[in-house]
Amino acid sequence: MSPTAPSRPWLVLIGLALGVCVTNGFARFAYGLILPAMKETLNWSYAQAGWLNTANALGYVAGAVMTMALIRRVSPSRLFSIGVLTTSISLFATGLDESLIAQSLWRILAGLFGAMSFVTGGALAASLFQDRPHHNALAIAFYFGAGGGLGIILCGATIPMMLDLLGPQSWTWAWIGIGLVSFSFCPLSVWAAEQLRPPTGKAPPKARTPIARMLGEIGGYAGFGLGYIVYLTFLVAWMKERDASVAMISLTWVALGISITVSPFVWRNIFARFASGLPLAMILTGIATGSALPILIPNTFGLMLSALIFGLSVFMAPGAVTNFTRQNLPQSSWTSVISFYTVIFSISQTIGPIGAGWFGDWTGDIGNSLLAASALLMIGAVCAISQRPLTDR
């Protein structure tokens, strides 16, 4: 059964977006800023550094599968709330033990619980403004873009300067601080989810998902998982190898976060207009371009242009598949289908960081991994452009 429309839908949307700030802006992408300090302090190779994001991705796979198993018995609202709270705990705990085993455990758990919250939150956001297509498209895009962008802005404005002032060994305090900020976001996020709790009653029958007719979108999203994470994992490490200043690193990351935050307003009309794979193909092309630009134009202009294009695109890929699901499938299947997409994405995402790290070690330049990621993203765009709508409009 559908939840009753909340009386304050925009505040509800902000609360849901803060959940993305925790589960994605912090739990997945803050690592790219902290990685150089951890690598230096703990004497890691690029492959070891990439492993921790692969561990996070493995947790994401488990979280998406678990969400698919639980969604028929536990409401999306409850799963979202549990996910935000437990992800916050995992982030805080990451700063308490430096061992690789402990780091791997908390990265896995942050991925597991983060996926639970991210998937169900997307379905909750898609349930807002159902009788107003442009508002609905904006709600979906805002959920994925604004919260993640805020997290990246907050991290970019604080973590590089903190690590520069206190030294690389202070990376543990960066995680503790992120955990504390995450705890402060939890009350509004949990309240927002509760406003969208469906009324009790018999669940609607589960609709059959036409997987064979969705292969273009699935292939595109798999390409997204393989390629996008390389930029967010290794860009700062690549910049530090080229003696980029702390101010330049911070500026690039904040510019990236600002671009992500405004991206919903760029894509909302495209989401509202197209029920095909075109939005995802356009987004993947933007991510691919942004990933390659720092290598092709290795100066300040290239970095800023890269952050702008990458930021305007990267968080909209989940929005594109959610929008595709919203426009082509019945609401009773939304959460399970989004969970399925997340499983595909997460499996491919496990390969990206450790594969890119190995390739960077082998070639002696992590910039080569950014170019390889760009090529994979373009292959994903070709898959996505082949996707046709599932219903006549």
Side-chain angles (χ1 to χ4, degrees):
M1 297 180 68
S2 300
T4 302
S7 59
R8 290 180 282 181
W10 292 110
L11 185 60
V12 167
L13 183 59
I14 289 171
L16 296 176
L18 287 178
V20 180
C21 182
V22 173
T23 61
N24 283 53
F26 292 161
R28 293 171 67 194
F29 303 136
Y31 180 63
L33 282 172
I34 305 174
L35 178 151
M38 297 174 72
K39 182 175 179 293
E40 177 182 343
T41 303
L42 302 173
N43 297 314
W44 286 346
S45 67
Y46 277 123
Q48 287 174 306
W51 153 250
L52 280 188
N53 252 6
T54 291
N56 183 253
L58 288 170
Y60 222 72
V61 174
V65 172
M66 186 170 66
T67 303
M68 291 179 68
L70 291 174
I71 198 61
R72 303 300 294 176
R73 296 187 293 274
V74 184
S75 74
S77 299
R78 178 62 56 84
L79 292 175
F80 176 86
S81 298
I82 292 172
V84 171
L85 289 167
T86 48
T87 302
S88 300
I89 293 170
S90 300
L91 290 170
F92 182 84
T94 303
L96 302 181
D97 190 332
E98 297 183 2
S99 70
L100 186 61
I101 292 176
Q103 290 296 306
S104 299
L105 171 65
W106 293 117
R107 291 296 288 163
I108 289 171
L109 291 178
L112 188 152
F113 295 123
M116 181 191 298
S117 178
F118 189 66
V119 168
T120 52
L124 292 173
S127 72
L128 294 168
F129 309 108
Q130 292 194 49
D131 57 342
R132 304 170 72 181
H134 280 80
H135 280 64
N136 178 263
L138 177 59
I140 292 172
F142 186 91
Y143 169 76
F144 290 107
L150 174 64
I152 289 175
I153 290 170
L154 292 175
C155 290
T158 57
I159 290 175
M161 288 185 289
M162 187 202 85
L163 293 174
D164 185 56
L165 289 172
L166 302 181
Q169 71 280 356
S170 65
W171 65 263
T172 55
W173 287 105
W175 286 116
I176 290 171
I178 287 171
L180 293 174
V181 175
S182 298
F183 288 138
S184 73
F185 290 165
C186 286
L188 184 57
S189 289
V190 171
W191 171 85
E194 289 301 310
Q195 305 311 299
L196 295 171
R197 181 182 293 276
T200 57
K202 186 177 180 180
K206 186 177 180 180
R208 183 180 179 183
T209 303
I211 297 296
R213 296 175 60 201
M214 298 164 54
L215 293 180
E217 198 82 351
I218 292 169
Y221 208 47
F224 169 63
L226 278 170
Y228 91 100
I229 192 64
V230 177
Y231 183 94
L232 291 168
T233 301
F234 290 114
L235 177 66
V236 173
W238 178 83
M239 292 175 67
K240 286 186 73 70
E241 284 189 348
R242 282 148 184 80
D243 299 320
S245 66
V246 171
M248 189 65 219
I249 292 171
S250 183
L251 178 62
T252 302
W253 211 255
V254 170
L256 176 65
I258 292 172
S259 296
I260 291 171
T261 302
V262 303
S263 62
F265 304 97
V266 174
W267 292 97
R268 61 174 176 172
N269 289 332
I270 296 173
F271 282 3
R273 182 177 177 185
F274 295 101
S276 66
L278 179 61
L280 181 60
M282 294 172 65
I283 287 164
L284 292 176
T285 301
I287 302 171
T289 303
S291 295
L293 276 173
I295 314 305
L296 300 178
I297 310 176
N299 54 33
T300 300
F301 173 76
L303 276 170
M304 290 297 101
L305 186 61
S306 165
L308 173 65
I309 296 174
F310 189 96
L312 287 176
S313 306
V314 65
F315 268 74
M316 292 298 97
V321 298
T322 300
N323 179 70
F324 178 83
T325 302
R326 160 79 174 83
Q327 296 204 49
N328 289 283
L329 296 167
Q331 185 173 356
S332 60
S333 67
W334 288 355
T335 304
S336 61
V337 171
I338 295 170
S339 297
F340 172 75
Y341 273 123
T342 305
V343 171
I344 298 298
F345 155 76
S346 301
I347 291 172
S348 62
Q349 185 183 231
T350 62
I351 303 169
I354 196 167
W358 173 85
F359 192 56
D361 288 331
W362 181 57
T363 63
D365 187 352
I366 199 65
N368 294 325
S369 297
L370 292 171
L371 292 175
S374 179
L376 291 171
L377 288 159
M378 287 306 301
I379 293 172
V382 172
C383 292
I385 198 67
S386 69
Q387 179 66 58
R388 299 292 180 261
L390 305 182
T391 57
D392 295 328
R393 304 184 74 211

